[in-house]
Amino acid sequence: MKNFNGKVLFLDRSDINTDEIIPAKYLTEISKEALKPNLLEDLKLEGFSPSADIPGKSIVITRANFGCGSSREHAPWAFEVNGINLIIAESYARIFRQNMFNCGMMAIELPKETIDHLFKVYQRKEVTIETDLDRNWFTIRSGSRIEEIPFFISDYDRSLVLAGGWVEFADRHY
Amino acid sequence: MGKTIAEKIFDSHYVDNPSGDIHVIRLDAVFCHEITTPAAINDLVSRGKDRVFDPSKIKAVIDHVTPAKDSKTAIQGKILRDWAGRHQIRDFFDIGRNGVCHAIFPEKGFVRPGYTIIMGDSHTCTHGAFGAFAAGVGTTDLEVGILKGVCAFHYPKSMKIEVNGALPKGVYAKDVILSIIGKISVNGATNKVIEFSGSTVDAMSMEARMTICNMAVEAGATSGICRPDQTTVDYLWEFIKDEFQSRASALEAFSAFAPDPDAKYDSMITLQAETIEPLVTYGYKPDQVKTVREMEGERVDQVYIGSCTNGRIEDLRAAARELEGKKIKDSVRGIVSPATPLIYHQALEEGIIKIFMDAGFCVTNPTCGACLGMSNGILAPGEVCASTTNRNFNGRMGKGGMVHLMNPATAAASAVKGCITNSEQYMHGR
Ligand code: SF4
């Protein structure tokens, strides 16, 4: 199983699309590792710099309709090779969300109020999250502040995360 | 209780319900291209599972970058080509016979009403025009599709979009779908299937239906879908004439995938065709839509006519009507990519290619090319392209470039004037 703990990168915008996550010109790369320097290279977001903001981060918190656009699984892979296996957002585009779980990664949805709260309290601070997959909650820490936030994951998505992805699951079952 | 088209297709392809509303369904076809399939092939090989569930149900094409532009794209093509060879995938289309996936597969008769289709390409929703459930998926889903012939989806919720009335002259399917996306936004149909209906859709050709279904994903939809009817049967007839006694019996068989009158929809929207005018996008999201009137005079450096949205024969005809006897502005680079060799042939025979060339357009081979900014017309920073494609994302046609989406007649008119402008077909009802 992948690691779902670590420091948080806040991306304060809705509708971040897959071309922004990894531009089409890198789709000719055959190895996932080659995508590493290009994650979020074309992201339109005031004040964001990939080289300064991505290193050391393991989790992304963002807004609505994350990952819209193309079907490229290169988008989750670009996160994966940068050590980011967990994304927390208000909502996702269907294919992106499925690709995440198919790779054994997690794309978790939280209600808009909770996302608003997280941005209000923690954005621009040093924040870490620990994921408890047995009890379905995140422990969020920043300085001396600690907060616990429950999340929902369906049995099916959990089985994909535990199996390490859909290929193994499907080959066993069908 | 009545069922939607998507529900009927899901129920007739049921394999398993592993949990909640997840349904694993049997696939009738898996489509492949050289950008997303090689990673799936390599992964299958590395897992020791280099198999295919049924070579006759797999169709493959090299379309995104063809001819190869560098070693990397040459390697991607080679991986697909070698794989198609070793698994006896007979419907494999290489250069000279290849075209944009969502144009060539329907043209070859590979899509039927009631089919379930996946492909590692978000615009797979195009094939819903035939009354099929066709969805774009990522590499892992594609891999499992290739290996086992199944895919998992949430049981589909449908949104019904009804368009009624006659479209004004110079207003095309592209304007219909842009106006819908403008209304419901880029995630207005996320996790839903859009069922298109109404007299306007009923009157549309298969090409026009493909255009509206093509862009369903730009509103977040899993698939667009149209009820199969006489137009569907007529389009498919040459491929199905051995399977059915008559067109009437084919229509009757396909009616099994018509929606029930009491089908339950998640939401419903109605549009009046007469009120739609030529539209164009202005930002980096396909729901940022204005009328051409509002954007009139905006400079363009390049005009691109092609892609799985608007690279079909009807689209080339609409653009050619606008270009006939005219020259495009000196400052404009015009590029047209007929979407398949057959379309190219037809355009040659109808004199359309000559009209484009006389006007000053460059005619490329069938390929995706500039649509995704990989070859054949990449923009420099600050440049603007009037385009008949489906995505205007930041950097889509080249870093720092701006893409305005529009119908082919508007694009052609804009090429002549050197700025965004309405077509004469629209202005004078030609
Ligand atoms: S023409 Fe453009 S949108 Fe269509 S399949 Fe090719 S790259 Fe994708």
Side-chain angles (χ1 to χ4, degrees):
Chain A
M1 202 175 67
K2 294 197 152 48
N3 172 41
F4 303 111
N5 308 316
K7 283 194 198 149
V8 179
L9 169 65
F10 285 88
L11 299 176
D12 193 2
R13 217 200 78 199
S14 288
D15 303 321
I16 292 176
N17 65 60
T18 50
D19 276 76
E20 292 176 285
I21 297 169
I22 187 80
K25 59 175 183 253
Y26 302 116
L27 301 187
T28 56
E29 301 294 349
I30 302 283
S31 92
K32 294 183 183 179
E33 210 49 45
L35 305 171
K36 192 168 177 185
N38 310 110
L39 175 66
L40 296 170
E41 175 177 294
D42 278 349
L43 180 64
K44 276 249 174 234
L45 183 62
E46 198 72 33
F48 173 76
S49 148
S51 57
D53 296 333
I54 295 173
K57 304 288 172 27
S58 310
I59 293 161
V60 166
I61 296 183
T62 184
R63 301 277 184 183
N65 197 31
F66 188 76
C68 57
S70 95
S71 63
R72 64 188 70 153
E73 205 157 302
H74 304 69
W77 298 339
F79 282 112
E80 187 183 12
V81 294
N82 277 281
I84 297 172
N85 296 313
L86 167 63
I87 297 182
I88 300 170
E90 196 184 312
S91 61
Y92 298 90
R94 175 190 65 89
I95 303 176
F96 178 83
R97 187 187 165 286
Q98 193 61 51
N99 285 345
M100 288 285 290
F101 285 103
N102 281 349
C103 292
M105 300 161 76
M106 292 213 290
I108 298 290
E109 284 176 18
L110 292 179
K112 183 177 186 321
E113 308 80 66
T114 314
I115 296 283
D116 285 345
H117 164 78
L118 293 177
F119 271 98
K120 208 167 128 218
V121 177
Y122 298 106
Q123 195 181 9
R124 279 179 264 284
K125 293 201 179 112
E126 177 124 335
V127 181
T128 60
I129 287 186
E130 271 168 56
T131 304
D132 186 335
L133 248 184
D134 296 326
R135 285 178 298 176
N136 290 356
W137 68 40
F138 298 126
T139 306
I140 306 186
R141 271 176 236 271
S142 172
S144 56
R145 185 170 177 144
I146 299 184
E147 207 176 334
E148 287 183 330
I149 294 187
F151 66 85
F152 173 78
I153 179 170
S154 73
D155 294 343
Y156 177 67
D157 289 339
R158 180 197 301 276
S159 57
L160 293 181
V161 171
L162 297 177
W166 166 234
V167 178
E168 291 306 326
F169 183 93
D171 204 23
R172 229 173 292 149
H173 287 76
Y174 305 109
Chain B
M1 201 180 69
K3 289 179 185 173
T4 62
I5 305 179
E7 286 171 341
K8 289 189 174 183
I9 297 175
F10 264 62
D11 292 351
S12 63
H13 290 75
Y14 176 87
V15 173
D16 188 22
N17 172 214
S19 91
D21 70 337
I22 302 285
H23 278 215
V24 175
I25 56 171
R26 177 174 53 77
L27 298 171
D28 294 308
V30 176
F31 293 162
C32 298
H33 65 54
E34 90 283 14
I35 295 293
T36 51
T37 317
I41 296 169
N42 285 350
D43 195 59
L44 285 170
V45 170
S46 72
R47 289 173 193 265
K49 299 182 200 287
D50 182 22
R51 306 187 297 270
V52 303
F53 81 108
D54 181 346
S56 71
K57 291 184 173 156
I58 296 178
K59 318 287 173 186
V61 65
I62 296 179
D63 64 347
H64 276 56
V65 189
T66 175
K69 66 176 171 128
D70 54 18
S71 305
K72 283 182 178 168
T73 50
I75 291 167
Q76 284 188 305
K78 182 171 163 46
I79 293 171
L80 191 71
R81 188 180 297 120
D82 291 351
W83 170 77
R86 77 176 171 268
H87 294 291
Q88 282 90 48
I89 294 166
R90 277 209 247 108
D91 294 313
F92 166 64
F93 303 94
D94 210 332
I95 191 138
R97 301 169 297 282
N98 60 3
V100 176
C101 50
H102 309 307
I104 200 163
F105 292 144
E107 188 185 278
K108 298 278 178 193
F110 296 156
V111 185
R112 304 288 164 78
Y115 262 26
T116 53
I117 302 169
I118 62 164
M119 177 172 197
D121 192 285
S122 58
H123 295 102
T124 307
C125 50
T126 313
H127 310 284
F130 291 82
F133 175 81
V137 296
T139 301
T140 305
D141 275 335
L142 176 69
E143 206 172 318
V144 171
I146 288 169
L147 185 65
K148 310 297 282 187
V150 298
C151 194
F153 290 97
H154 288 278
Y155 193 72
K157 292 193 186 97
S158 294
M159 171 187 235
K160 183 173 181 171
I161 299 187
E162 203 176 295
V163 193
N164 288 310
L167 287 171
K169 266 231 150 50
V171 176
Y172 289 90
K174 183 64 158 285
D175 304 303
V176 173
I177 189 64
L178 283 175
S179 97
I180 290 169
I181 298 166
K183 272 200 179 61
I184 68 175
S185 93
V186 288
N187 62 352
T190 301
N191 289 322
K192 292 178 202 168
V193 171
I194 300 179
E195 199 178 291
F196 294 104
S197 63
S199 64
T200 316
V201 179
D202 291 343
M204 280 183 182
S205 64
M206 288 315 298
E207 283 84 354
R209 292 179 196 180
M210 285 190 252
T211 301
I212 56 171
C213 288
N214 175 271
M215 289 191 74
V217 70
E218 304 308 331
T222 307
S223 190
I225 210 161
C226 299
R227 156 211 298 269
D229 62 4
Q230 191 64 46
T231 308
T232 323
V233 171
D234 292 343
Y235 183 100
L236 289 174
W237 185 243
E238 62 170 301
F239 307 106
I240 58 174
K241 56 177 188 281
D242 297 334
E243 295 165 38
F244 296 97
Q245 279 184 334
S246 65
R247 292 184 194 228
S249 60
L251 183 58
E252 200 188 309
F254 294 158
S255 301
F257 298 102
D260 291 327
D262 57 342
K264 262 265 203 342
Y265 294 92
D266 206 59
S267 53
M268 276 182 70
I269 292 177
T270 311
L271 264 79
Q272 211 48 48
E274 290 82 3
T275 64
I276 302 174
E277 62 176 291
L279 298 171
V280 49
T281 61
Y282 61 89
Y284 296 119
K285 295 197 297 168
D287 60 1
Q288 295 176 308
V289 175
K290 286 185 181 172
T291 61
V292 173
R293 273 185 300 122
E294 291 170 292
M295 292 285 284
E296 176 86 42
E298 199 84 11
R299 183 199 93 235
V300 301
D301 303 299
Q302 176 168 303
V303 172
Y304 184 76
I305 298 175
S307 87
C308 58
T309 319
N310 282 129
R312 297 188 181 79
I313 191 67
E314 284 187 357
D315 305 314
L316 303 193
R317 283 183 194 135
R321 266 202 296 284
E322 206 60 34
L323 291 171
E324 189 154 18
K326 296 189 193 128
K327 294 251 179 264
I328 64 173
K329 188 110 176 164
D330 280 343
S331 58
V332 172
R333 310 185 299 268
I335 302 170
V336 57
S337 294
T340 68
L342 181 68
I343 295 165
Y344 201 142
H345 262 288
Q346 273 177 298
L348 263 177
E349 271 160 30
E350 295 179 21
I352 289 171
I353 297 295
K354 182 165 174 4
I355 293 173
F356 272 110
M357 293 186 76
D358 288 348
F361 263 79
C362 157
V363 185
T364 82
N365 64 303
T367 178
C368 294
C371 172
L372 80 166
M374 284 180 83
S375 63
N376 278 4
I378 295 166
L379 301 175
E383 287 190 330
V384 179
C385 183
S387 178
T388 69
T389 54
N390 48 34
R391 267 192 191 144
N392 54 352
F393 294 169
N394 182 32
R396 174 77 175 179
M397 268 195 190
K399 216 180 176 102
M402 168 59 99
V403 177
H404 297 295
L405 307 176
M406 60 188 73
N407 78 40
T410 311
S414 304
V416 171
K417 221 168 167 195
C419 59
I420 293 176
T421 193
N422 261 313
S423 66
E424 291 198 5
Q425 298 162 46
Y426 180 68
M427 297 306 283
H428 309 298
R430 276 203 311 149

